[in-house]
Every structure is written in C-alpha cells, then in structure tokens.
Amino acid sequence: MDVSLLPSEIAEAQSAFPAALAACADLDALNRLKGAYTGREASHAARMMDLLKAAPKEQKRDLGAAINAVKNAWDEAIKARQLELAAAKKAATWDPTLTPPMPPKGALHPLDRLMGRMTEAFRPLGYHIEEGPEIETAANNFDGLNIPEDHPARGSSDTFYLAAHPELLLRTHTSPVQVRVLARYGAKGADGVSLLEKKGGLRFLAPGRVYRKDEIDPTHSPMFHQIEGMLVGKGIGLHHLKGTLSYAMRALFGPDTKARFRPSYFPFVEPGCEMDVSCPLCAGKGCRVCKGSGWVEILGAGLIHPAVLSHAGIDAKVWSGFAFGMGVERTAMMVSQTPDLRLFFENDQRFLAAMGGLD
Ligand code: DAH
C-alpha cells in the first residue's frame, strides 16, 4: 500500500501497530487497541476519515485507497489476534478433571439383540444352539425336508444357486439345520447306539441368515434372519408344541401374551400350522400393527413329518417331535414399529441409536 500519501502521524501509528498488537496480552488489551486504531470516534481511523474529508478533491481518490488499505489491514490483524487470544484463554481454562468427550460406544445390532432375546426365551426349556452353513446343499435345503422335486422354491428365480456348483445354494431357510442335526443324532455310533438314543431326545434352536431372490422393498430383503427350533422325543404331540411355544411367547412378549394356532402347510411337518400371538403392542385390542385384528403372525410350525425323520435314519414309529421357524425381521419390525425393513441393514447410526443400540 502507498503509505507515503498518509500524514506523518498516521504513518507513525501504522509503523507502531505490529508491536502494539503483539503486546496485547489479553482480550481487554486488544479491545483497547481496537478502539484506539479502528474505533468509530477518537481513533486513528476516525482521524484518517477527517483527513480524507478535508483533502483537496484531486487527492481524494488515492488518499481514500491508501486509508482503506491501512484500515483493512488493521481490522484483519486485530481479528486474527482476537482468535489467538480466545484460543489461549480456552486452553488456560481447560479443566483436566472433566470427562473428555467420548467416542460413541459400540453395541450389538438391534437384530442381534432381538435374536438373543428370542433364543433366551427358550433357554429355561433346555434348548441349545446349533449352527449350519449359509451355503447349503440342495439335498439339505430341500430333499431332506421332504420338499418335492417340482416345488417352486427350488427354482432359480426364487433361490440363489452357486454358478460354479449348481448343487450348492444359499440356504433359503434355517430348516436345513434340522437335516444336519437329525443326521448327526440319528447316526449309529461304533457301539451301534445313536446319539438320539443315548440322550433320549434332542432340542435345539438354530438362528441365522437366509437368502431368497426377493426384490428389495420395505418388507422384503434378499437376506434376512430366521430362528429354527426343533424337539425330538418319544410320544411328542401337538400339545407339546403348543405348550412350548406359548411359554416362549410369554417369556418374549410378556406374561399376558396369548397364542393361537391355524392349520397351514409345510412339506416337512404334518400337521403344519402357523401361530399368531395377541398383538404385543395393543395387547389384542386392535391397532395399526395388527391391522385391527388383535393378532400377529409370528411363526410356522408343526409335527415333524415322518419322512424327515426316516431320511435321517431315525425310526419314525419310535420317535416324534415338532419344529418351528420364526422370522426375525418381521418380529423386529413389529415390536419396534419400524415400517421399513431396510433400516435394519443400512446401519445409519441415528436409527441404531434410536433402537437403543448405541450409548
Ligand atoms: N422354513 C419355513 C419358512 O422358511 C418356516 C418353518 C415352518 C419352519 C414350519 C419350520 C416349520 O420348522 O415347522 O418359511
């Protein structure tokens, strides 16, 4: 900037400015400096404006530019120093005994927690957890479950088959775990006695991911979760199924929960049924979630089809049992009143936190 145009008193103030600014040790001192240099009245800036007004017309342009440049430089420098001093003040008042801001804590995903609660509901009844692979054989996913050759679920429009291994697929339900566990328990040991005979029966739950060729929409996803359950013993009938599931539903949804059973069809059970529970949200009075009916469908179940037992080498005249399969996402959507399934897979932290999954 061309300060040669400025009268000597302003030029002096200008050359003293850097040292005066550096000497401001706190915000009060800086404010005083600010007043003296750029204040509206009785400041160097005000004096410069007076000089400008009084200057001969032909000087006004150049003088005005010089004055502006000087004033702007002061303003900027003061602003910068202000930030410095404010930061220093904050640092000086830092209290090391305060709790520092913590990164959010991790937590189990809401679906994992619900699956935990669902399996927990059966724990007092002695059910243990079994697992099976997500890549299954068609034999376990369909054949061992008495699903006929021409069943539509076997088609490549419903089921993901592995391109390089057409006999392998992504399991379409957790029911193939039944086939695996029955084969293990049914096989005779070296002593000619099966695990099933040694233990006098079996009962397990198999939670896990399943896959179907469904378009993604608010109620469908090509991947979702199920929990399979199975019990094998002697003289097992529908009353055991009803008692077991009614008990677990009360543990899961509350002591007043009622269960009702409707006939249905699944190839691996006979008879087959679907179970509804009294709507956990309105206690059966009727609301939006249960569409006014007071009931919500929760699972498919039935008595194990003799063909499933004999497929595993188990004598269906001696042994009987029941099986059931529950949809996890459907239950999650219902209890959390989440209208869109996709929210459970997008991992938006705001949704997870609202579900109570983050601290
Ligand atoms: N696997 C069935 C499905 O994916 C659910 C099911 C129904 C499982 C009845 C069972 C059962 O064990 O007995 O829809």
Side-chain angles (χ1 to χ4, degrees):
M1 75 193 80
D2 186 5
V3 287
S4 65
L5 285 171
L6 298 172
S8 61
E9 56 170 302
I10 302 293
E12 262 166 42
Q14 160 75 346
S15 58
F17 179 76
L21 185 70
C24 292
D26 56 33
L27 288 168
D28 285 344
L30 185 67
N31 270 335
R32 283 194 295 277
L33 179 90
K34 192 174 168 184
Y37 270 81
T38 63
R40 218 179 267 264
E41 278 160 27
S43 67
H44 296 304
R47 172 92 186 107
M48 290 198 295
M49 291 315 289
D50 290 345
L51 286 167
L52 183 61
K53 259 187 230 155
K57 218 176 179 182
E58 62 280 11
Q59 279 183 19
K60 273 194 203 274
R61 226 181 86 144
D62 290 346
L63 186 62
I67 286 173
N68 258 340
V70 169
K71 165 97 164 39
N72 286 342
W74 288 345
D75 280 338
E76 300 256 312
I78 288 170
K79 230 188 277 167
R81 183 80 181 129
Q82 204 165 14
L83 290 177
E84 257 174 48
L85 288 172
K89 186 173 170 188
K90 198 167 168 208
T93 54
W94 178 66
D95 180 351
T97 66
L98 288 178
T99 313
M102 293 293 207
K105 251 196 260 170
L108 285 180
H109 189 276
L111 288 177
D112 280 323
R113 278 182 299 141
L114 178 62
M115 274 199 283
R117 283 182 47 214
M118 289 167 87
T119 51
E120 207 48 36
F122 289 87
R123 189 203 278 283
L125 302 177
Y127 284 70
H128 70 268
I129 303 289
E130 291 279 356
E131 274 181 277
E134 290 170 29
I135 296 176
E136 257 300 3
T137 60
N140 286 339
N141 196 83
F142 297 123
D143 303 344
L145 289 165
N146 196 37
I147 296 174
E149 280 300 331
D150 57 356
H151 196 284
R154 290 185 183 248
S156 59
S157 59
D158 286 11
T159 299
F160 292 105
Y161 286 88
L162 270 62
H165 298 277
E167 74 287 5
L168 296 179
L169 46 78
L170 298 183
R171 66 179 179 188
T172 60
H173 49 180
T174 44
S175 303
V177 183
Q178 294 185 18
V179 180
R180 290 175 172 273
V181 174
L182 287 178
R184 207 171 77 225
Y185 274 75
K188 298 215 187 312
D191 53 4
V193 186
S194 71
L195 201 54
L196 190 62
E197 286 167 312
K198 279 183 195 151
K199 298 211 175 202
L202 68 85
R203 54 188 80 179
F204 72 87
L205 296 173
R209 291 196 182 96
V210 302
Y211 301 84
R212 286 182 200 172
K213 274 196 187 169
D214 279 327
E215 294 297 330
I216 298 175
D217 71 21
T219 54
H220 292 89
S221 158
M223 186 283 291
F224 56 101
H225 297 80
Q226 288 186 334
I227 301 179
E228 194 76 13
M230 178 173 244
L231 178 142
V232 178
K234 289 179 178 166
I236 300 300
L238 273 180
H239 51 309
H240 296 109
L241 168 66
K242 279 182 84 170
T244 297
L245 292 177
S246 304
Y247 169 89
M249 293 306 121
R250 286 195 298 272
L252 190 57
F253 296 119
D256 298 327
T257 307
K258 288 178 195 48
R260 76 175 183 190
F261 297 79
R262 289 178 284 104
S264 186
Y265 174 76
F266 304 96
F268 33 94
V269 283
E270 180 57 36
C273 61
E274 275 166 330
M275 187 186 74
D276 304 329
V277 293
S278 51
C279 178
L281 293 165
C282 65
K285 286 194 243 342
C287 67
R288 221 163 43 100
V289 171
C290 59
K291 297 190 185 74
S293 73
W295 295 94
V296 285
E297 186 189 320
I298 217 84
L299 53 76
L303 295 184
I304 305 169
H305 196 291
V308 172
L309 292 170
S310 22
H311 182 90
I314 295 170
D315 186 348
K317 284 195 219 55
V318 177
W319 299 95
S320 54
F322 59 76
F324 52 91
M326 315 183 260
V328 178
E329 279 78 3
R330 256 204 308 170
T331 310
M333 289 173 75
M334 175 188 63
V335 295
S336 66
Q337 299 194 55
T338 302
D340 194 327
L341 164 68
R342 291 171 289 196
L343 285 163
F344 286 103
F345 301 126
E346 283 165 358
N347 287 332
D348 184 323
Q349 303 251 321
R350 291 165 300 181
F351 174 73
L352 298 178
M355 291 284 115
L358 295 170
D359 292 323

